[in-house]
Amino acid sequence: MLTTLAIDCGGGGIKASVLDGAGTMRAQPMRVPTPYPLPPELFVRTLVELGDRLPAAGRVTVGMPGMIRHGVVVATPHYVTRSGPRSRVDPALLAEWSGFDARSALSAAFGLPALVLNDAEVHGAGVVAGTGCELVLTLGTGLGSALFDGGVLAPHLELSHAPVRWGTTYDTYVGEPERRRLGDAFWSRRIRQVVEGLRPVFRWDRLYLGGGNSRRIRPEQLTRMGDDVVVVPNSAGIVGGVRAWDLATV
């Protein structure tokens, strides 16, 4: 049976497990802090070292933040900074990451077929039903997003970098620093306001709220969002590593 090493790369940590063909974890997930500064070669080495601590697999799926097209990094928000999310951008790192062929580099390093997508897209692969218009929003260090229509993955849009108000991006408006500043109650209200603002833009059939902070949304605010909005477990970022290989794209 073909097994998959699934790696979920975030701004604060990198998690991995090995999955069987049904998407069941064959090993307990392992996590390491995301190292900074993080040039591409250290990123690849960190993933290989993490994979070496898990059972052997036949292929690799990597979800990482940013705009990824055909396995090539167009832009990544956290890994170009000097010391992690919200810190100063390092021009040298920005140049190294721009156009970095992550899929080829990881395939060569692991000696296995590799698939590299935006982390929200891998997360979505683990939860979408494959019918209708389905939007996935992941809440963590910032905001991730992925859109599916009939199970077909749409081209990635960096919604997180769009302004939401007062020149503030969605990434800043609902990201982890703001959750800590506001507290869960006020932050949950802010999430509901974002959902209400995006509803007429996407007209989804189902909206999935995932990522590490989705569990912090207060039940009363989730109820007010409507029956077409559901919270899904953060483990989908790993579990989606198998289904991601079957995703059709437009």
Side-chain angles (χ1 to χ4, degrees):
M1 177 182 294
L2 180 62
T3 55
T4 303
L5 172 61
I7 307 177
D8 183 14
C9 305
I14 299 173
K15 303 184 294 292
S17 184
V18 172
L19 313 172
D20 64 19
T24 303
M25 291 188 191
R26 308 293 293 188
Q28 284 295 319
M30 305 200 72
R31 183 186 187 277
V32 296
T34 304
Y36 290 99
L38 186 60
E41 62 270 19
L42 177 57
F43 173 76
V44 172
R45 187 165 70 249
T46 300
L47 268 57
V48 171
E49 290 174 354
L50 184 58
D52 286 344
R53 298 164 58 186
L54 290 162
R59 62 187 183 183
V60 183
T61 304
V62 174
M64 60 178 292
M67 177 77 76
I68 315 298
R69 289 185 182 145
H70 310 294
V72 176
V73 177
V74 177
T76 185
H78 311 310
Y79 300 163
V80 299
T81 61
R82 296 172 188 255
S83 56
R86 310 293 190 271
S87 66
R88 183 176 299 180
V89 171
D90 184 328
L93 288 173
L94 185 65
E96 285 189 65
W97 275 105
S98 180
F100 174 63
D101 190 341
R103 180 171 58 188
S104 294
L106 288 165
S107 181
F110 280 101
L112 297 170
L115 178 66
V116 181
L117 297 169
N118 172 271
D119 50 350
E121 294 173 344
V122 178
H123 198 104
V127 300
V128 296
T131 58
C133 180
E134 299 174 282
L135 178 66
V136 179
L137 297 178
T138 55
L139 306 167
T141 303
L143 177 73
S145 64
L147 183 65
F148 299 80
D149 184 18
V152 177
L153 176 62
H156 184 66
L157 301 176
E158 277 290 70
L159 177 64
S160 60
H161 292 168
V164 57
R165 60 186 300 185
W166 306 319
T168 302
T169 66
Y170 283 97
D171 225 16
T172 300
Y173 192 60
V174 299
E176 173 64 5
E178 278 296 274
R179 186 198 65 78
R180 291 182 178 179
R181 185 182 73 84
L182 295 170
D184 286 349
F186 284 100
W187 177 81
S188 297
R189 186 181 304 172
R190 184 170 283 190
I191 295 299
R192 177 174 59 82
Q193 292 169 347
V194 166
V195 168
E196 291 174 350
L198 293 177
R199 184 181 293 276
V201 177
F202 289 95
R203 298 288 181 178
W204 57 71
D205 293 300
R206 182 66 59 89
L207 168 63
Y208 303 93
L209 299 176
N213 281 343
S214 61
R215 60 187 173 84
R216 299 182 182 274
I217 300 173
R218 292 292 179 87
E220 64 273 17
Q221 297 298 337
L222 184 62
T223 298
R224 293 182 66 180
M225 292 183 207
D227 293 338
D228 58 348
V229 180
V230 296
V231 170
V232 294
N234 192 37
S235 59
I238 292 178
V239 174
V242 173
R243 290 183 66 190
W245 285 83
D246 299 323
L247 286 177
T249 56
V250 294

